[in-house]
Amino acid sequence: MQITIGIKHSQRELTLETTETIEAVRAKVDEATAAETPLVLSDDKDRQLIVDPESIAYIELDPAKEQRRVGIGLA
């Protein structure tokens, strides 16, 4: 699943690929905003993204979007 996070007062977005479900990500977002603690998400390569919940403008969760692959496959 691809997650895109818009940041207030910034033209750039944060994007990451994760194997977590939509429900798991929504629970993390709800918990971070309710407790006013940083939102911590992990991507497919176990890298962590830590975002201040007050700076989040929006979060887009797209389970169908697959990352484009570039390159030549040799069999």
Side-chain angles (χ1 to χ4, degrees):
M1 171 174 65
Q2 181 173 331
I3 301 171
T4 304
I5 302 173
I7 303 297
K8 292 178 185 176
H9 312 296
S10 176
Q11 296 178 358
R12 299 192 69 175
E13 299 173 327
L14 303 173
T15 304
L16 69 143
E17 290 282 330
T18 185
T19 56
E20 293 190 53
T21 65
I22 287 179
E23 293 79 18
V25 173
R26 288 192 63 161
K28 287 183 178 184
V29 171
D30 291 343
E31 181 181 323
T33 54
E36 297 180 1
T37 58
L39 171 63
V40 180
L41 298 170
S42 298
D43 70 0
D44 289 344
K45 297 176 184 175
D46 290 328
R47 293 179 291 193
Q48 290 191 337
L49 178 69
I50 302 170
V51 182
D52 177 20
E54 291 183 11
S55 64
I56 296 174
Y58 64 89
I59 298 177
E60 178 183 328
L61 305 175
D62 191 353
K65 191 174 257 186
E66 190 173 307
Q67 194 174 29
R68 282 191 347 193
R69 305 287 181 206
V70 177
I72 299 172
L74 300 175

